[in-house]
Amino acid sequence: MIYALARREGVLVGVGLISLEPHPYLPGAWSRAHCLSGPVCDDATEMVAFLNGLCRQPELSRVGSLTVTPFWTEEEADTLDTALAHAGWRVAEESQFRETGWVDISVTSEEIMAAFSKSARREVRRAERQGVTFQSAQNPEEFRIFLESMNRLRVSRRLPELSLPAYEAMFEDILQQDEIGTAILAWQQETFLAGLLVYRSRDIVHGRHFTTEPDHLRAAGNLRIAPALWLEAMRWAKERGCGILDVEGYREPAPGEKKFNIHKYKSEFNPQVVRRISARERIVNRHVYLTGNIRSLIRGQLKKVKQAVTG
């Protein structure tokens, strides 16, 4: 990890948290650097200056590329999109913008639940009747149950597993304090049913990882746990002063779409669709970038050829 700060005349104007992805072949080099949901700046001009300055830092001299995902939305996203394009930052996704969904949690718990779909409200009440309880992970052993479940889900979807040591360190340093983030676990007596990892800023809480144990839910009467679990996350965040829950990626569900089922269950929380800027990338060290990303670059070129042939 790299922690980066930007100051102008002694005044803090930017903050970034950067993770490094090891190069597959070159010792001491990194194929990519990622700044998740950041950097954080209040001004587009300062953001560009901060990012350009980061790329000149010695700590990134052996990094192939830097990818950033500033959390800028709607009109502000347009402003930053223009500024980054002029500064040579290219779009690192399929489009300039991505969509997410915001749920208003500034109202009472009763009003939050009232905005849910009828079926979601029914599932919340059914979870209550069946004795499902919710609590934040209290210790490393409980958090490990969540992580192992999450990795089983990711393997089934052919996604890379989460690093257990890295996430266990995050639990010890951040999540165990139950203030900036938490893992909310759903239990039926001693049986683990599901879990949701969230983290927050001052105003917005973000849903990061969601996992379930299908066999345990079937044994619990085919219980659909997502509505009750997300409601608990909203209550947790509201108690800490947040007014918005970001479901982390959302668009109106369309049948036949790849992520239809995911968007469908998120739609039950009645989120407002919000447009935010997509990831941006700049090559820092071209040699490291080419050698560290050769497989993905080849796949990208083959995809373009296939699209050209099929029209």
Side-chain angles (χ1 to χ4, degrees), residues 62-311:
R62 290 179 59 80
V63 169
S65 64
L66 173 62
T67 302
V68 299
T69 53
F71 196 80
W72 287 43
T73 62
E74 301 298 341
E75 292 82 4
E76 291 183 344
D78 293 325
T79 300
L80 186 58
D81 172 59
T82 301
L84 291 175
H86 287 165
W89 288 79
R90 67 187 186 188
V91 177
E93 299 182 37
E94 293 183 356
S95 59
Q96 290 174 276
F97 302 97
R98 60 170 76 163
E99 290 181 333
T100 188
W102 283 6
V103 179
D104 181 9
I105 61 172
S106 65
V107 296
T108 66
S109 293
E110 292 75 17
E111 290 172 314
I112 293 173
M113 184 171 164
F116 283 15
S117 70
K118 182 178 179 180
S119 63
R121 296 195 301 271
R122 182 171 60 247
E123 291 298 325
V124 171
R125 291 190 289 267
R126 193 155 73 97
E128 293 173 352
R129 290 195 303 270
Q130 294 187 209
V132 177
T133 59
F134 303 89
Q135 67 175 29
S136 295
Q138 302 292 308
N139 51 59
E141 290 73 26
E142 289 184 353
F143 189 60
R144 173 61 79 98
I145 291 173
F146 168 79
L147 289 177
E148 290 176 346
S149 175
M150 191 71 238
N151 277 342
R152 283 193 293 272
L153 175 64
R154 293 178 69 86
V155 167
S156 71
R157 295 179 176 176
R158 298 182 180 180
L159 296 172
E161 295 185 41
L162 302 178
S163 167
L164 295 184
Y167 272 81
E168 287 171 339
M170 180 177 68
F171 176 78
E172 182 178 345
D173 294 340
I174 299 174
L175 299 181
Q176 196 163 18
Q177 284 70 45
D178 201 37
E179 183 61 30
I180 297 175
T182 192
I184 300 175
L185 311 182
W187 301 85
Q188 190 179 52
Q189 297 179 350
E190 301 299 319
T191 302
F192 173 73
L193 300 178
L196 174 63
L197 174 62
V198 297
Y199 58 89
R200 72 177 186 89
S201 61
R202 183 188 63 187
D203 302 316
I204 303 177
V205 60
H206 304 266
R208 184 68 180 120
H209 291 298
F210 172 63
T211 184
T212 64
E213 289 295 328
D215 291 342
H216 297 169
L217 290 170
R218 278 193 290 270
N222 289 320
L223 185 63
R224 193 158 56 84
I225 197 65
L229 187 54
W230 281 82
L231 180 60
E232 285 299 314
M234 295 174 195
R235 290 169 173 166
W236 175 88
K238 179 177 170 58
E239 290 175 357
R240 287 154 182 79
C242 292
I244 295 170
L245 177 133
D246 188 331
V247 299
E248 287 292 306
Y250 176 76
R251 63 171 60 96
E252 295 293 344
E257 185 186 34
K258 182 179 179 180
K259 295 185 178 180
F260 171 77
N261 290 333
I262 295 175
H263 294 149
K264 178 65 175 176
Y265 95 73
K266 290 180 179 180
S267 73
E268 294 192 307
F269 312 141
N270 193 29
Q272 172 193 354
V273 177
V274 175
R275 185 171 54 94
R276 60 169 292 189
I277 195 168
S278 62
R280 298 296 189 269
E281 181 182 46
R282 169 175 278 187
I283 295 176
V284 181
N285 184 313
R286 185 166 296 276
H287 173 71
V288 173
Y289 175 76
L290 292 175
T291 56
N293 299 279
I294 188 167
R295 291 182 179 178
S296 61
L297 292 172
I298 291 174
R299 284 197 300 268
Q301 291 301 315
L302 291 175
K303 183 178 180 180
K304 290 180 181 179
V305 171
K306 182 178 179 181
Q307 290 173 342
V309 170
T310 59

